[in-house]
């Protein structure tokens, strides 16, 4: 359901949520290794997230990426929408273009309620909520 790009972006943003702030910016090279994503690839994703105001960045010798307090309150769904677009997350599991409530694919009736619940959860969970779960030991992220 999520592309590798979205998964990598979520890991990178959570890394920033756990390790950065306005005084402690992190360079791409310092994010790539801990989250096990090629530096050029994660740089492209982070630049797009920064352009779309999901995360913050500063250029220069003391520059890098970070999360402001406002960034931390962004819903997780925003990351996925920026990286993959709304169409991917809402697409048919069998990749049928005409799948909908009126003309459902064989998985539609099973998947639609689950997808709706997942999308609602992604909309109602902020980046900082997930970071706090990691801090509290309620979830695991190998960083």
């Amino acid at each position: 359901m999520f592309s590798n790009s979205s998964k990598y972006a979520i890991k990178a943003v959570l890394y920033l949520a756990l390790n950065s702030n306005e005084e402690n910016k992190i360079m791409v090279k310092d994010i790539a290794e801990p989250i096990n994503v090629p530096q050029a690839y994660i740089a492209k994703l982070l630049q797009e997230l920064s352009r779309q105001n999901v995360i913050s960045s500063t250029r220069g010798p003391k520059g890098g990426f970070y999360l402001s307090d406002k960034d931390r309150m962004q819903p997780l769904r925003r990351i996925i929408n920026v990286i993959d677009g709304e169409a991917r997350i809402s697409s048919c599991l069998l990749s049928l273009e005409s799948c909908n409530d009126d003309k459902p694919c064989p998985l539609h009736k099973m998947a639609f309620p689950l997808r709706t619940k997942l999308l609602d959860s992604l909309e109602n969970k902020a980046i900082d909520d997930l970071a706090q779960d990691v801090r509290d030991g309620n979830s695991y992220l190998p960083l």
Side-chain angles (χ1 to χ4, degrees), residues 94-112:
L94 297 179
S95 300
L96 302 177
E97 289 183 26
S98 60
C99 178
N100 57 44
D101 286 338
D102 296 328
K103 192 175 177 185
C105 77
L107 296 177
H108 186 84
K109 289 180 181 155
M110 204 172 25
F112 187 76

Side-chain angles (χ1 to χ4, degrees), residues 12-84:
V13 170
L14 287 175
Y15 183 88
L16 290 172
L18 293 165
N19 297 291
S20 75
N21 57 45
E22 292 184 38
E23 291 78 39
N24 183 34
K25 298 165 184 74
I26 301 178
M27 297 181 66
V28 171
K29 66 181 176 82
D30 298 322
I31 298 172
E33 186 177 336
I35 67 168
N36 196 29
V37 177
Q39 187 173 326
Y41 194 48
I42 201 62
K44 180 180 170 192
L45 296 173
L46 291 174
Q47 288 165 357
E48 185 59 27
L49 290 169
S50 180
R51 268 194 291 280
Q52 298 295 323
N53 299 313
V54 176
I55 65 173
S56 298
S57 66
T58 304
R59 292 179 175 251
K62 293 185 180 184
F65 293 96
Y66 65 97
L67 294 185
S68 67
D69 290 341
K70 182 181 174 188
D71 298 336
R72 292 171 186 281
M73 296 302 110
Q74 296 265 3
L76 289 167
R77 186 168 177 175
R78 184 117 162 75
I79 298 168
I80 296 160
N81 285 351
V82 166
I83 300 301
D84 286 338

Side-chain angles (χ1 to χ4, degrees), residues 101 107-120:
D101 286 338
L107 296 177
H108 186 84
K109 289 180 181 155
M110 204 172 25
F112 187 76
L114 299 172
R115 178 183 289 127
T116 301
K117 186 175 180 177
L118 176 62
L119 292 175
D120 288 346

